Amino acid sequence: MWKLISNIKDWVVADNKGLHFALAYIWFDIIYLLNIPTAFISTIFFIVLMEIIDKKKIKTKFSLIDVVSGIIGMILSYVINTI
C-alpha cells in the first residue's frame, strides 16, 4: 500500500521537492493560526516523518533535498504570515 501511495505521489508531482514545499507551506499556514511553536514543531515532525516513511516503509530513499525544501516552505509561510 505504501508503494502505491508513493507511486501516486510521484505521478501527481514529478518533482517531490515541490510537493514537500507545498505540503509544509499549507500545514504550517493552517497550524500557525492556532499556535506558532506548535506549528514549527509539528511541521518539522511531519517533514521528517514523510522521509522516514519513504526510507523504511517504501524502501526508497531519504532525500535531504526534500527535507530542505519542506523547511523552506515552512519559513516562507512564517515570513508571509508575520508581514
Side-chain angles (χ1 to χ4, degrees):
M1 178 168 158
W2 291 107
K3 190 68 172 174
L4 176 67
I5 292 171
S6 176
N7 290 337
I8 291 171
K9 178 179 74 167
D10 290 341
W11 180 75
V12 170
V13 182
D15 181 15
N16 277 340
K17 291 175 281 304
L19 176 68
H20 286 272
F21 176 85
L23 288 176
Y25 183 91
I26 293 168
W27 178 261
F28 186 87
D29 199 39
I30 292 169
I31 303 299
Y32 181 86
L33 299 173
L34 301 174
N35 190 347
I36 297 171
T38 303
F40 276 109
I41 293 168
S42 66
T43 305
I44 290 172
F45 173 75
F46 284 117
I47 290 169
V48 173
L49 183 65
M50 283 190 291
E51 289 306 312
I52 290 172
I53 289 173
D54 280 350
K55 177 68 178 170
K56 300 292 182 184
K57 291 285 186 185
I58 304 172
K59 306 279 190 231
T60 56
K61 71 277 178 204
F62 183 91
S63 176
L64 189 60
I65 294 172
D66 289 345
V67 173
V68 170
S69 66
I71 291 173
I72 290 171
M74 178 184 65
I75 291 170
L76 184 64
S77 179
Y78 175 74
V79 169
I80 289 174
N81 281 315
T82 55
I83 292 178

